[in-house]
Amino acid sequence: MKLPENLIQKLETRKQNNALRQLPSFNNLVDFSSNDYIGFSKSESVFKLAHHYLIENEIIQNGATGSRLISGNHDTYQNTETFIAQFHDSESALIFNSGYDANVGFFSAVPQRNDVILYDELSHASIRDGITMSNAKSYKFNHNDFEDLEHLILKFPDTNIYIVTETVFSMDGDSPNLEELVVLSEKYNCFLVVDEAHTLGVFGEKGEGLTQYLNLHNRIFARIMTFGKGLGCHGAAVLGSIELKEYLVNFARSFIYTTGLSPHSVATILVAYQQLEIEKETIDKLRQNIILFNQQKNLLGLKPMFVRSKSAIQSAIVPGNQNVKRIAQLLQDRGFDVKPILSPTVPEGQERLRFCIHSYNSEEEINQVLQLLRDFVF
C-alpha cells in the first residue's frame, strides 16, 4: 500500500533540505563517531564474563518472557540493581530497557498536574518527549543560563518545581556548572534531575559520572544513567530514593507495559559495572586522549570552530547541511568515521561535525583527523 501523500511530502521536504536520514552501512573506518568511549562494546572480557555469569548461575534463558511485574523480574535484575545502587552511592536503582524509556517513564509519571518543569533548552529529545507526556506545565530556560532559570523559578512560588539538565549535552559536549545549579535548586527547594548518559564511564576515578565525581550526587533528586554509551551495552537506570523507585514501579508506563530485558542483557550490565572498578587505566587513557584532542585543535587553529568541551564529545560547527555533509564525506574517504549532525536535529546554522573520543584512539589518529579537518575547512 502506498504511503499517504502528506507523508511523502514530508520526506520530499527533508530531501530538498539535505536533511534526509538514512541508516548507515557498517564500516571499518577509524571510530570517531560511536558512544563507545572506553571500548566496552568490543570488550572480549565483558562478553566472556557475562556468559560465565549465566552459566555459573544456571541461567539458560533467552528472554524475560514478560514485563517485570508479570514474569520478567529474573534474579539477575535484583543482583544488578543492588550493585548499581552501591556503585553510585544511591538508595536505589531501577533498570529501564533504554535511556529513552527511562526519560519518558520518569518525566511522564513523576511531575504532576500542578507541578512545573524547568528544563534546559538543549535537553535531549527523550527528555522532551517525556515532558510532553506529563500533566505538569513546562518551560525551557536558556542553555546553562542560571539567571534565566532563577527568573523562571520566581514566577512559581509554593509550587513543586523540577529542574532538568544533562551533565554532558549530547550534541555540544559541554556541561553546566553543577555546583551552582545544586545551590540554586536547594535555595528554592526544587527537585533537581540530571541525565548522566554521557558521563558514565568517562568522569570519576571509576567512571561513576560527573555528579558523583564532584560529590554532589546526594543533593540531587534523581540521576538517570544510560548504559548504551560508556558501558557499551544496553539499558538505563534511574537512581534515587527507595520511595522514588517504588513510585516508578507503580506509575512509569514505559517500565510497566514492556517486556523486561533478557538475562543476558542484564548480566552484561552487571559485568560492565564490575569492570569499571578494575579498568582505571582505560578510563585514564580516555582522559588523556580528550586532553590531547583539545591541545591539538588549539595548536592547529581550530579552537574557534569548536564548542568548548572537556568531555568525550567534541563538536565543530560547520553551518549548512550540504557543507557539513561534504566535509564529513571527505574525512570518511580518508578513513575516519566522523558523522555530520544536521538540522533539524540541531538548529539551522548550528550544523556540526561531532567527534567522539575513545580510549582506543591513538595519538596518531587524533593528530591526523584534526589535520585533515584543518585542510578541508581552511
Side-chain angles (χ1 to χ4, degrees):
M1 183 177 291
K2 189 178 179 181
L3 198 66
E5 186 61 34
N6 57 346
L7 302 187
I8 291 174
Q9 284 302 315
K10 292 184 74 171
L11 283 174
E12 285 301 319
T13 300
R14 280 284 170 91
K15 291 175 184 176
Q16 291 168 13
N17 293 334
N18 273 305
L20 185 69
R21 296 184 176 103
Q22 293 178 301
L23 294 174
S25 301
F26 178 79
N27 62 62
N28 290 313
L29 305 180
V30 177
D31 184 6
F32 280 102
S33 68
S34 81
N35 295 318
D36 188 24
Y37 302 125
I38 54 177
F40 273 19
S41 79
K42 306 176 184 71
S43 170
E44 186 177 349
S45 59
V46 169
F47 184 88
K48 288 182 175 179
L49 286 168
H51 179 72
H52 177 72
Y53 175 91
L54 296 172
I55 298 301
E56 186 178 48
N57 289 276
E58 299 181 345
I59 302 170
I60 304 173
Q61 182 178 330
N62 293 320
T65 76
S67 75
R68 290 184 64 184
L69 289 168
I70 302 297
S71 60
N73 196 42
H74 44 80
D75 289 343
T76 314
Y77 264 120
Q78 277 114 46
N79 296 337
T80 304
E81 287 176 340
T82 297
F83 191 95
I84 291 171
Q86 292 173 346
F87 183 93
H88 286 297
D89 190 23
S90 175
E91 282 188 24
S92 76
L94 181 66
I95 293 175
F96 283 74
N97 284 14
S98 69
Y100 189 94
D101 283 342
N103 276 329
V104 167
F106 180 94
F107 291 107
S108 64
V110 176
Q112 300 297 293
R113 186 174 301 279
N114 294 319
D115 298 340
V116 167
I117 304 169
L118 304 178
Y119 64 98
D120 190 290
E121 64 178 340
L122 297 188
S123 293
H124 191 265
S126 58
I127 294 173
R128 289 169 172 263
D129 286 356
I131 289 172
T132 299
M133 295 168 67
S134 170
N135 289 320
K137 294 180 180 178
S138 61
Y139 306 88
K140 62 185 177 184
F141 59 90
N142 295 331
H143 181 50
N144 290 339
D145 185 341
F146 299 150
E147 287 186 14
D148 187 40
L149 173 59
E150 186 169 21
H151 176 72
L152 286 170
I153 292 171
L154 291 171
K155 290 184 176 182
F156 305 101
D158 304 318
T159 302
N160 286 336
I161 297 176
Y162 292 86
I163 298 173
V164 185
T165 192
E166 300 178 31
T167 48
V168 165
F169 285 85
S170 59
M171 289 297 109
D172 284 29
D174 62 342
S175 299
N177 184 327
L178 290 169
E179 295 94 335
E180 183 181 344
L181 183 56
V182 166
V183 170
L184 182 63
S185 66
E186 290 176 339
K187 178 180 177 180
Y188 294 103
N189 296 313
C190 298
F191 298 94
L192 180 58
V193 183
V194 296
D195 184 316
E196 295 230 48
H198 293 278
T199 64
L200 180 59
V202 179
F203 289 91
E205 184 181 351
K206 300 184 295 182
E208 60 267 29
L210 190 54
T211 58
Q212 206 167 339
Y213 172 65
L214 297 172
N215 197 30
L216 297 170
H217 55 290
N218 288 322
R219 299 162 68 183
I220 293 171
F221 176 66
R223 289 174 281 162
I224 298 167
M225 295 285 174
T226 300
F227 310 143
K229 298 167 176 62
L231 285 194
C233 48
H234 199 67
V238 176
L239 309 178
S241 67
I242 293 171
E243 292 81 7
L244 175 61
K245 179 174 181 176
E246 183 178 28
Y247 182 86
L248 290 170
V249 167
N250 279 274
F251 294 100
R253 294 172 69 86
S254 64
F255 175 87
I256 298 166
Y257 298 109
T258 190
T259 299
L261 293 171
S262 70
H264 183 272
S265 293
V266 182
T268 304
I269 295 167
L270 174 59
V271 167
Y273 261 105
Q274 291 170 340
Q275 289 297 105
L276 281 181
E277 297 196 313
I278 61 175
E279 289 280 354
K280 295 180 182 179
E281 289 185 7
T282 304
I283 296 169
D284 187 58
K285 183 62 166 62
L286 171 62
R287 293 198 195 99
Q288 292 174 27
N289 279 349
I290 294 170
I291 292 169
L292 175 64
F293 190 95
N294 276 299
Q295 289 173 339
Q296 288 302 111
K297 76 185 185 189
N298 294 347
L299 288 172
L300 293 169
L302 295 169
K303 182 178 179 179
M305 69 184 299
F306 276 85
V307 178
R308 186 177 183 274
S309 167
K310 294 182 179 180
S311 76
I313 299 170
Q314 304 282 329
S315 290
I317 304 300
V318 182
N321 281 346
Q322 185 171 352
N323 194 29
V324 73
K325 287 171 71 174
R326 177 182 64 83
I327 296 177
Q329 188 61 57
L330 288 171
L331 291 171
Q332 291 165 19
D333 290 343
R334 296 296 185 93
F336 295 94
D337 192 12
V338 179
K339 292 295 195 299
I341 306 299
L342 313 175
S343 58
T345 300
V346 293
E348 190 173 348
Q350 291 292 306
E351 296 82 6
R352 64 199 58 195
L353 295 168
R354 183 173 179 264
F355 295 81
C356 292
I357 315 303
H358 311 92
S359 60
Y360 49 83
N361 290 134
S362 69
E363 182 175 343
E364 182 182 8
E365 289 168 350
I366 291 171
N367 291 336
Q368 285 181 350
V369 76
L370 286 173
Q371 287 168 2
L372 286 170
L373 176 64
R374 180 193 60 184
D375 294 343
F376 295 149
V377 171
F378 297 123

